[in-house]
Amino acid sequence: MSDGWHLYLLRCIDGSLYAGITTDVERRFREHASGRGAKYTRAHPPECVLGSRAYPDRASATRAEHALKRQPRACKLAWLLADAGADPSPAC
């Protein structure tokens, strides 16, 4: 999974969700799991990658991440089930 940029969604061991962007989802998950990831995942270790979506460049991945992080949990989970071209903005 290292083609372009990806927006990914993790489920943490406490049931919370974490969204981020990377060029390599598997590597980034390992970083989060080992405590070298984001501050949030150091306090809430990740359990698994729920899903990811590819974006053509960092700017579009960052915009999608920002939009997804503003959504309630139900919308984040719906984003996983939506078509790959779906925008994570308020369609929920």
Side-chain angles (χ1 to χ4, degrees):
M1 269 193 200
S2 53
D3 300 334
W5 285 86
H6 297 268
L7 169 56
Y8 61 91
L9 192 62
L10 304 178
R11 182 177 62 221
C12 299
I13 61 171
D14 64 356
S16 62
L17 301 176
Y18 175 82
I21 63 168
T22 186
T23 56
D24 186 337
V25 176
E26 293 160 3
R27 174 190 51 80
R28 190 65 177 141
F29 177 76
R30 287 191 307 271
E31 289 173 355
H32 286 302
S34 71
R36 292 180 291 122
K39 185 176 181 179
Y40 184 85
T41 58
R42 281 183 240 139
H44 308 268
E47 185 174 61
C48 64
V49 177
L50 291 176
S52 69
R53 197 76 47 79
Y55 289 86
D57 53 47
R58 184 178 185 154
S60 58
T62 300
R63 285 191 297 275
E65 176 191 21
H66 179 71
L68 185 64
K69 284 184 172 183
R70 294 174 47 146
Q71 299 302 311
R73 180 183 179 87
C75 291
K76 290 174 184 172
L77 295 173
W79 171 80
L80 288 173
L81 302 174
D83 292 335
D87 182 6
S89 50
C92 196

